Amino acid sequence: MDSTGSNCRLLFDVGGTFLKAVVADSAGELIPESEFSCPMPSDGSRDEIVGALAASVARGAAFVSSRGQTLGGLGVAFPGPFDFARGIPLMEHKFRQIYGLSLDDLLHGLPETGAEMPIRFMHDVNAALLGEMTRGNARSFGNAALVTLGTGLGFACCLDREIQYAPMGSPRISIFRLPCRGGILEDWVSKRGLLRIHAGRCGCSDPSLTVADLARMAFAGDLPARETFADAGRILARAIGGVLARNRIECLLMGGQISRSFVLMEPVLREELAAVPTLRMIAPAAHIGEAAFYGLLAGLDRLAGVKPDVGIRTVGCGA
């Protein structure tokens, strides 16, 4: 099946609570009116998770059909651990109820897809970096890295335009477990990390406070909130400066929902990472919400044998 002719591609970005979906047209452009979210709790039952996937495929395929076109491919961005070549989740901390289940078999068995449908699974952070390499702020760099800030802390990098994969397709370099203040880096640079830093600065915690609240407070001039983002940026920079230097990173991008508040961290990131000799750009991702979708499109193009618009190669599983 030719995914580059008159066919559309259906793209999923799976998070911890929702599956986000969008349809891309035959030219590779995302169709805004096709976007939707489907509840898909990572602590849900197997039936709930499988049902969400099946219902989302059906909804996306119905949209494609309503335009008089056909579905020519399916891309799925998922967190890890995951065997991305075979489409098998291996997570024990979330999505436990589908551990070891072949999502590849599941999706190929749906009436809207079939055995010949091109399906590409990618780690969500790798997909986002690939999207930035093809259509975003990493496009003109050989060595680039993406840090995603949200419920967790993610990291992916490319060296000499090659996405760096671990054997089963996850990012080769991981930073979330780096030692930090008696714990790990993710304890301090993530949703829970920001709330923890803020509670320490204020001397108390507010269970109703969200990171979005913190950002609004910081932009309104609240000093503890502003210092919270600066602290998180400083902790992150000091933890990853050596990783960036060793891998000759030229471009550091910030993705994930928290990175929408990048300007609150920017001054300290630039100050702390000034000693990384190769680093020429520090910026938010150009497509914070869509980068993973663009990466999935590039991955599906590779399955179809289509040459990407930039010289992208992949190292390890998933090439």
Side-chain angles (χ1 to χ4, degrees):
M1 183 177 294
D2 178 7
S3 65
T4 63
S6 62
N7 298 314
C8 296
R9 271 80 56 87
L10 177 59
L11 311 170
F12 292 163
D13 187 1
V14 176
T17 307
F18 287 90
L19 175 155
K20 296 190 300 180
V22 70
V23 173
D25 64 21
S26 58
E29 298 301 323
L30 306 183
I31 305 173
E33 58 267 33
S34 72
E35 295 180 13
F36 66 90
S37 294
C38 177
M40 187 171 158
S42 61
D43 60 353
S45 68
R46 177 174 291 207
D47 286 346
E48 288 174 323
I49 296 169
V50 168
L53 284 168
S56 296
V57 171
R59 180 171 174 177
F63 176 86
V64 171
S65 179
S66 74
R67 292 169 60 91
Q69 295 181 291
T70 55
L71 182 61
L74 177 61
V76 185
F78 225 101
F82 197 109
D83 184 336
F84 290 95
R86 297 193 297 156
I88 299 176
L90 301 172
M91 288 166 283
E92 297 181 340
H93 61 301
K94 56 185 177 181
F95 293 107
R96 292 183 298 273
Q97 297 305 315
I98 58 169
Y99 181 97
L101 176 67
S102 175
L103 299 185
D104 186 71
D105 289 347
L106 169 72
L107 294 173
H108 274 120
L110 296 175
E112 299 85 2
T113 56
E116 302 304 316
M117 174 71 67
I119 297 179
R120 179 69 186 259
F121 295 91
M122 292 187 71
H123 190 282
D124 49 4
V125 186
N126 280 338
L129 177 57
L130 183 54
E132 286 293 304
M133 290 169 67
T134 54
R135 305 201 191 193
N137 284 335
R139 190 181 177 102
S140 60
F141 294 93
N143 296 355
L146 173 70
V147 173
T148 57
L149 301 173
T151 304
L153 175 65
F155 183 85
C157 73
C158 68
L159 303 179
D160 299 323
R161 300 298 293 170
E162 297 179 351
I163 295 282
Q164 300 295 295
Y165 289 95
M168 284 193 292
S170 293
R172 182 176 66 82
I173 299 172
S174 176
I175 66 169
F176 80 97
R177 285 184 179 149
L178 289 175
C180 182
R181 299 189 175 192
I184 60 174
L185 185 58
E186 192 176 74
D187 292 336
W188 296 95
V189 186
S190 62
K191 173 184 174 181
R192 69 178 184 272
L194 283 164
L195 296 175
R196 181 179 187 177
I197 292 170
H198 186 260
R201 281 199 166 273
C202 295
C204 62
S205 61
D206 179 354
S208 66
L209 191 68
T210 67
V211 174
D213 294 332
L214 273 182
R216 284 190 290 269
M217 293 160 57
F219 283 120
D222 181 87
L223 185 58
R226 293 185 68 86
E227 290 175 337
T228 292
F229 282 93
D231 286 348
R234 186 174 295 106
I235 292 168
L236 174 65
R238 291 179 178 177
I240 68 172
V243 175
L244 302 181
R246 286 191 297 274
N247 289 282
R248 311 178 316 281
I249 298 300
E250 303 161 307
C251 169
L252 174 64
L253 301 180
M254 308 293 287
Q257 291 303 310
I258 294 175
S259 66
R260 296 184 187 277
S261 304
F262 169 77
V263 295
L264 298 171
M265 298 183 180
E266 182 178 7
V268 71
L269 285 172
R270 294 192 182 281
E271 177 185 351
E272 294 290 339
L273 294 174
V276 178
T278 54
L279 194 57
R280 294 190 283 133
M281 173 185 277
I282 303 174
H287 307 287
I288 291 175
E290 299 79 32
F293 294 137
Y294 290 130
L296 288 169
L297 281 173
L300 283 166
D301 282 344
R302 290 192 65 84
L303 279 183
V306 177
K307 184 178 179 180
D309 60 350
V310 293
I312 296 171
R313 300 180 302 280
T314 51
V315 172
C317 181

